[in-house]
Amino acid sequence: MFHTILVPIDLSETSISKSALDKADAIAQWTGAALRLLNVQVLLPANFLDYMPADFDTQQRREAERSLEKMALGLRVPPERVSTIVRVGGVYPEILAEADTFGADLIVIGSHRPAMSTYLLGSNAKTVVRHARCSVLVVRD
Ligand code: ADP
């Protein structure tokens, strides 16, 4: 069964993320797996940062850490089996990198229902399914 479950959380789409997290929480309870919540902070263009306070990145990161910790507190899995991490970079490369670092054997990821725009633009969920070395559960909203 599953031992290490990674749940990427988009903090700007918490309803979709919550749905995926609920499923991951339930699976972790049945299987005794460890759960890791991941948020990726996307790098902003350098010229945009010129207009932001000097510690903007640090503030955003701390805010994301706090949000993940708050979500983790609401889980039914015992706290000693739950961890959180914030990474900086591109969403799907960081999800795949953290899956390797954590040794995830399951990624539980949220996704909108497929739409024409999804096929044209691609999506993080699709790319993770295609490139992950472990099982991936896509939770539709
Ligand atoms: P869709 O698959 O519907 O096109 P996205 O690809 O934007 O939607 O997002 C799908 C999933 O990817 C989200 O539910 C979440 O699990 C993950 N994800 C998106 N953005 C982030 C982010 N910044 N940090 C962590 N995970 C993310």
Side-chain angles (χ1 to χ4, degrees):
M1 247 309 168
F2 300 113
H3 302 286
T4 39
I5 304 174
L6 182 67
V7 192
I9 307 277
D10 181 353
L11 292 170
S12 63
E13 292 251 35
T14 42
S15 65
I16 296 172
S17 297
K18 179 79 177 64
S19 178
L21 187 56
D22 284 348
K23 306 283 185 302
D25 191 19
I27 295 169
Q29 280 184 80
W30 304 329
T31 59
L35 210 56
R36 179 165 293 177
L37 280 56
L38 161 72
N39 174 252
V40 181
Q41 293 285 297
V42 181
L43 280 173
L44 295 170
N47 57 352
F48 181 80
L49 287 174
D50 287 346
Y51 299 96
M52 293 291 148
D55 64 344
F56 180 75
D57 282 349
T58 317
Q59 273 182 30
Q60 291 292 105
R61 196 184 176 119
R62 287 216 186 105
E63 182 112 344
E65 276 161 2
R66 276 198 289 270
S67 299
L68 290 184
E69 279 159 19
K70 205 167 152 197
M71 290 179 108
L73 284 176
L75 298 174
R76 284 162 294 178
V77 170
E80 61 273 16
R81 297 214 315 264
V82 181
S83 57
T84 61
I85 187 162
V86 175
R87 296 181 72 123
V88 179
V91 174
Y92 68 79
E94 295 303 325
I95 294 174
L96 295 170
E98 185 58 31
D100 284 349
T101 303
F102 183 43
D105 50 20
L106 177 68
I107 300 171
V108 180
I109 192 165
S111 181
H112 299 113
R113 291 189 185 280
M116 200 56 200
S117 60
T118 314
Y119 291 115
L120 292 174
L121 297 173
S123 74
N124 292 305
K126 185 172 77 177
T127 311
V128 169
V129 168
R130 184 169 295 166
H131 295 289
R133 283 194 264 229
C134 62
S135 302
V136 181
L137 171 63
V138 178
V139 177
R140 302 266 186 231
D141 63 339

